[in-house]
Amino acid sequence: MKLLILNGPNLNRLGKREPDVYGSKTLNDLESFLKKHGESANVRVTMKQSNWEGQIIDWIHDAENSYNGIIINPGAFTHYSYAIRDAVAGITLPVVEVHISNVHAREEFRKESVIAPVCVGQISGFGFEGYLMGMDYFIRREGHGTD
């Protein structure tokens, strides 16, 4: 099985940006953590990050023929990117939305996701573990991560 993990704007600043909210670990730490978990379950993980909406949309479109599912942390695009929402709605792959912080316990504007309604689910507030929860969903869905 192959999973694409997409991270949106400012997630390249993990470890430096608001460590009281997002923790002290970096995006590279997250990638290592997820790839290690993937290897133990026979899942190939590809992780990408962009601060550019169009790049994320292109990756979503391109994923349809190469991956079994997508885990996306859209960052701030969560709240207003109808373009990313439409890209997710326009593919047949299942998508899980993930957030490191509990967006529902933060500022009011963070509580609304325009992307979640076209995803199979949303995971919020469990730090890096939320990505693992998303991966485990796909592993169970696809039959224990076998190709």
Side-chain angles (χ1 to χ4, degrees):
M1 179 179 15
K2 294 193 243 176
L3 293 177
L4 177 61
I5 300 174
L6 298 177
N7 286 286
N10 298 311
L11 288 159
N12 58 309
R13 303 280 302 158
L14 284 175
K16 298 176 184 172
R17 174 186 175 217
E18 299 179 83
D20 55 317
V21 174
Y22 299 105
S24 60
K25 293 188 178 175
T26 67
L27 192 63
N28 287 337
D29 294 334
L30 175 61
E31 184 171 16
S32 296
F33 179 63
L34 297 178
K35 285 190 173 190
K36 182 178 177 183
H37 183 68
E39 287 171 10
S40 71
N42 195 29
V43 176
R44 283 178 270 176
V45 173
T46 301
M47 194 165 101
K48 300 180 180 188
Q49 185 277 330
S50 182
N51 294 318
W52 298 90
E53 184 178 37
Q55 179 65 75
I56 293 169
I57 292 166
D58 287 344
W59 287 334
I60 291 168
H61 292 166
D62 293 344
E64 192 158 36
N65 298 317
S66 303
Y67 295 94
N68 300 90
I70 298 172
I71 297 169
I72 186 168
N73 182 339
F77 290 140
T78 301
H79 317 295
Y80 65 88
S81 180
Y82 294 103
I84 291 176
R85 180 240 179 258
D86 289 347
V88 170
I91 62 171
T92 58
L93 286 178
V95 178
V96 172
E97 182 180 317
V98 171
H99 297 282
I100 294 169
S101 69
N102 181 353
V103 294
H104 303 288
R106 296 185 62 200
E107 301 92 340
E108 195 63 33
F109 75 91
R110 295 189 193 276
K111 296 177 184 180
E112 180 68 29
S113 171
V114 299
I115 298 167
V118 294
C119 293
V120 294
Q122 182 191 68
I123 302 167
S124 172
F126 293 96
F128 286 6
E129 295 289 326
Y131 290 84
L132 289 187
M133 292 174 189
M135 287 179 68
D136 288 343
Y137 163 77
F138 285 111
I139 291 165
R140 287 189 305 278
R141 182 180 188 275
E142 297 290 326
H144 306 290
T146 57
D147 285 330

